[in-house]
Amino acid sequence: MAKLETQAEYQLASQQQLRDAAELLQPPSLDPGGADAMTRHLVGAMYLAGYAVECGLKEFLLRRFGPLVTPAPGTGVTFDQIQPHVDAALGKKLKDLHSLTDLWNATGLSMRSTTMTANLGACAIWRVDWRYRPPANRARVDAEQLVNAASDLVTWMGNQSP
């Protein structure tokens, strides 16, 4: 799989991950009567929802800082190219490119909505390494809360101007 780079790629990935997360909250089609049928996909839904937020944050940051960078002809501005501007907005080097809190702080959006800041708080439990080491089984309410908060947050960010 190719590395995500541009604003359009992050935007597309964010929307796809949200759709997949919502689908994983539904009863499974394989072995729907199994003892774990109502819980087996919850961690996957949570992982994808958090990843959607990461992509949404990076997409917003590309909208915010992209105009400050001149891309090579025929290409778009990449996150690597705007990272110095992200670091400046944070007041420190962004060491963890997957930190939802640091990415959120760099957007400057926290001053616009306390509700969305709360939604980010609901998503802040997410860790990129869940793809390799998923957390122990989670309650359905935890998964639904994270997926709903992620969906609201990504949708809201998409409607904000930098």
Side-chain angles (χ1 to χ4, degrees):
M1 184 165 119
K3 176 182 172 187
L4 296 179
E5 299 268 346
T6 66
Q7 178 186 338
E9 290 169 328
Y10 279 114
Q11 184 178 39
L12 182 64
S14 182
Q15 295 304 315
Q16 181 62 51
Q17 302 314 313
L18 284 173
R19 281 192 301 274
D20 290 349
E23 189 168 324
L24 286 174
L25 290 177
Q26 301 305 311
S29 57
L30 182 63
D31 192 19
D36 66 346
M38 295 310 292
T39 59
R40 93 170 67 120
H41 295 143
L42 297 181
V43 171
M46 293 172 76
Y47 172 75
L48 291 175
Y51 183 53
V53 171
E54 178 188 339
C55 291
L57 288 163
K58 288 179 177 177
E59 186 271 333
F60 183 88
L61 288 166
L62 280 158
R63 281 193 285 132
R64 179 176 178 195
F65 297 115
L68 303 175
V69 176
T70 304
T75 66
V77 175
T78 67
F79 193 82
D80 290 343
Q81 291 172 305
I82 67 161
Q83 189 166 351
H85 300 288
V86 172
D87 293 345
L90 270 176
K92 66 178 183 178
K93 175 109 174 103
L94 181 63
K95 293 180 182 173
D96 181 359
L97 295 175
H98 307 289
S99 169
L100 300 184
T101 302
D102 284 350
L103 291 168
W104 173 256
N105 289 336
T107 66
L109 290 170
S110 62
M111 302 304 287
R112 297 187 191 177
S113 173
T114 55
T115 301
M116 292 305 129
T117 301
N119 279 339
L120 179 75
C123 296
I125 64 168
W126 177 82
R127 297 291 175 265
V128 70
D129 65 353
W130 283 3
R131 64 185 164 190
Y132 304 116
R133 291 184 314 249
N137 282 341
R138 303 301 284 228
R140 173 163 288 280
V141 68
D142 293 337
E144 289 172 347
Q145 180 183 13
L146 196 151
V147 170
N148 290 335
S151 181
D152 290 349
L153 187 59
V154 167
T155 300
W156 181 81
M157 281 189 298
N159 293 322
Q160 300 301 301
S161 60

